[in-house]
Structure formats: structure tokens, C-alpha cells
Amino acid sequence: MRVLDAVRAATAGLPRPRVVAVEWLDPLWPAGHWLPEQITAAGGEPLIASPGEHTRPMDWETVRAARQNVLLLLPCGFAPERTLTELGLLTALPGWDELPAVRAGRVWVLDGPAHFNRPGPRVVRGTEVLAHVLHGVRSGAPVSASEASRCPGPEARATTRPGSARVGARGLTAPRLRGAAGSGPMSVRARRGPRRAGCASGRRACGRRG
């Protein structure tokens, strides 16, 4: 396709960052199927999952051992604002702040439902978004903050209450989501939606967007 050829041309010859894409937070689940191909076309080196792979849950040590330069968070069925409310599931894990991607400020929340979770024409736009995330390269329309936003660093998280998320002026602000009767923030596991096929990981249990 001409759009993908343009992305490949825009990123040709640039250093290829090592990339881990996560499509579910609890349990941790790497994004497979077409996601590794999107990463490769955008000038990155996909880790953990291979093109076309129907993935399985992974443990946290697998993520730590990957020594990724870039970490992409794109939970199936979750809008970016909803993903941001769940960052504590990752930031509380041992060694989070020592991940190369975290130390470099290269952890990104992406709009999975729009461009990554399901097959179709919109995955082409997702590859353009990845070119911006991985290399700061523009290919196609400018990438909006709703499509890709950096995660807050340790300093921002220190002033963010559990169940809420804030990012700087270039990012997103997410509302606090609460459980039944205002009992506190709902976990990802508790808010899973109906089972459906079609995620990049091959998972059948996805969250509902919005």
C-alpha cells in the first residue's frame, strides 16, 4: 500500500528502537498478530511477540528482561483515558522505574480500539501513529494527543491519586473511575466486558470502550 510505503520510506535508515506492545494489563498480555508488523513498518524492532503470533499472557519478568527502548500500552477496548486510570497496575510493579523505556520517558498510551486492536483499514493509520511515537516522524495527518500520549513520569505520579491519571499539557487528563457505590477505582479485571474475537493478541475477552 502507498501509505505503508510512505511510512517505511520516512523511517528508512533511522535507528530501530526495541519495542514492547502490551494489549492487556492484568494479566499482562503482549500484542501479537499484526502489531509486530505495524512496529516493523514504522521503523521499530518488535519484542516478545512475532508477526502473526496468537499470544499468551506473560509475566512481569519477561517485560523487564526485554530491555525495551519503547513501551506501548494499548489495552483492547480501552480508550486512552481509561488506560491512564489503570497505570498503577504497572507503576507499582517492582523495577518499573528502572525500565529503559521509563527512564527515557518513552512509555506511550495509544488508542488501541481506533488503530491497533482489530484488523481493518485503520491499522494503516496506526502505523503512521507509530512512526511518530518511535521516531518523531510525520507521515500522513498530524498525530493528536488522543491517538498517542506519553505516560506521566515518576514526579507526576507522585502527585496523582490512585485511580486517577494526569499528563502534562501535551497529554491527556483522565477522570477518576469508581466502582459500585463509590467504593473506589475499579480494576481492569473487574471491568472486563463481553467476550469477543478480533484483538491483536488473539484474546477473546476484551474490555468495553468508554
Side-chain angles (χ1 to χ4, degrees):
M1 296 178 64
R2 287 179 296 177
V3 173
L4 293 179
D5 289 340
V7 174
R8 294 186 183 101
T11 59
L14 298 176
R16 301 182 72 84
R18 295 162 52 84
V19 182
V20 168
V22 175
E23 201 184 43
W24 201 250
L25 306 181
D26 183 18
L28 283 168
W29 209 299
H33 286 303
W34 52 86
L35 246 299
E37 294 181 80
Q38 287 178 284
I39 292 168
T40 299
E45 178 187 349
L47 306 177
I48 300 178
S50 302
E53 182 179 355
H54 184 107
T55 58
R56 298 177 180 275
M58 60 183 173
D59 59 34
W60 175 236
E61 289 306 314
T62 298
V63 178
R64 295 182 68 180
R67 305 294 296 173
Q68 69 289 132
N69 306 118
V70 181
L71 180 61
L72 308 176
L73 307 179
L74 36 90
C76 183
F78 278 16
E81 295 87 350
R82 198 161 183 176
T83 301
L84 285 167
T85 67
E86 301 294 346
L87 279 180
L89 291 170
L90 299 181
T91 60
L93 292 171
W96 167 262
D97 288 336
E98 282 71 50
L99 291 180
V102 174
R103 294 173 65 88
R106 302 191 72 185
V107 180
W108 290 81
V109 171
L110 307 181
D111 193 338
H115 304 305
F116 301 102
N117 298 153
R118 302 179 186 89
R122 290 190 294 178
V123 301
V124 176
R125 174 57 179 169
T127 306
E128 294 179 329
V129 171
L130 289 178
H132 164 77
V133 166
L134 302 183
H135 298 290
V137 169
R138 176 176 171 179
S139 183
V143 174
S144 67
S146 64
E147 292 178 301
S149 184
R150 291 182 190 269
C151 286
E155 299 81 5
R157 294 199 309 272
T159 59
T160 302
R161 297 172 300 172
S164 66
R166 297 182 301 176
V167 186
R170 297 176 59 192
L172 298 170
T173 300
R176 181 177 175 122
L177 299 181
R178 301 190 66 83
S183 58
M186 294 185 289
S187 70
V188 172
R189 190 185 296 275
R191 289 191 279 108
R192 283 179 180 165
R195 295 172 64 86
R196 63 172 180 253
C199 290
S201 63
R203 298 177 63 255
R204 295 188 61 85
C206 298
R208 289 178 295 178
R209 184 174 184 178

